[in-house]
């Protein structure tokens, strides 16, 4: 199973377009995330969203936003300007979560684009509610290992 999760910053404004045959919406954006080691340069990755998620990405996310992306990672072949074939990693997003000051809001594909907006607004106040502490669980009873039949 190909599942990829990365926290990144959007560095290029999401661009919405439509397929020529059935007018399916597609959004493409460029994100950047830090390298594994301190001296590694930041990595850039093209992210693609399809359908309702594409419209929601274009409406709710902008350059400069920090996001948590979930999706599939794949390789795409293309011809460069010099006439050579190149390969590049590309992510097909299935979920996008905005990471802000102390809270995370989520954008997931929905049946209709308007259906997710009230859900995201309702989720934000719930995240700010103080967490209730649970009473401590009673300590487990002492086990006498001599009574275990082997």
């Amino acid at each position: 199973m190909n599942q990829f999760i990365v926290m990144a910053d959007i560095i290029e404004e999401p661009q919405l377009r439509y397929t020529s045959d059935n007018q399916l919406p597609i959004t493409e954006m460029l994100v950047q995330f830090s390298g594994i080691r301190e001296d590694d340069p930041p990595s850039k990755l093209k992210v693609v969203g399809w359908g309702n998620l594409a419209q929601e990405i274009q409406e709710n996310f902008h350059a400069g936003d920090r996001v948590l992306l979930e999706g599939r990672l794949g390789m795409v072949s293309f011809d460069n300007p010099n006439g050579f074939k190149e390969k590049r990693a590309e992510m097909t997003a299935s979920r996008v979560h905005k990471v802000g000051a102390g809270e995370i809001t989520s954008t997931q594909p929905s049946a209709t684009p308007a259906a997710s907006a009230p859900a995201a607004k309702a989720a934000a106040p719930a995240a700010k509610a103080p967490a209730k502490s649970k009473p401590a669980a009673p300590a487990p009873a002492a086990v006498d290992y001599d009574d275990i039949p082997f």
Side-chain angles (χ1 to χ4, degrees):
M1 183 169 165
N2 183 353
Q3 184 71 14
F4 182 67
I5 300 173
V6 65
M7 184 181 301
D9 297 311
I10 300 174
I11 59 173
E12 188 177 282
E13 196 70 26
Q15 300 294 317
L16 180 67
R17 62 184 176 89
Y18 296 88
T19 60
S20 59
D21 54 349
N22 58 2
Q23 296 299 307
L24 184 67
I26 304 170
T27 296
E28 296 178 347
M29 64 181 167
L30 192 61
V31 300
Q32 176 176 297
F33 53 95
S34 57
I36 295 175
R37 294 183 295 266
E38 283 186 31
D39 56 338
D40 287 344
S43 299
K44 294 180 182 177
L45 179 67
K46 182 178 175 182
V47 178
V48 178
W50 291 83
N52 292 330
L53 180 62
Q55 293 173 332
E56 292 171 10
I57 289 171
Q58 199 273 331
E59 292 169 5
N60 299 323
F61 298 94
H62 305 284
D65 289 345
R66 175 159 284 206
V67 291
L68 187 67
L69 300 160
E70 297 180 54
R72 292 187 330 259
L73 190 61
M75 296 300 287
V76 178
S77 297
F78 63 96
D79 292 325
N80 71 10
N82 298 331
F84 297 103
K85 281 208 176 269
E86 288 189 32
K87 289 187 178 184
R88 173 180 58 208
E90 183 176 286
M91 179 181 192
T92 302
S94 58
R95 292 188 182 121
V96 180
H97 310 274
K98 186 180 273 188
V99 179
E103 66 180 60
I104 298 175
T105 56
S106 177
T107 299
Q108 299 178 15
S110 60
T112 60
S116 67
K121 289 179 183 175
K128 294 179 184 177
K132 295 180 181 177
S133 60
K134 295 182 181 179
V143 177
D144 184 8
Y145 293 107
D146 291 335
D147 289 340
I148 299 174
F150 284 107

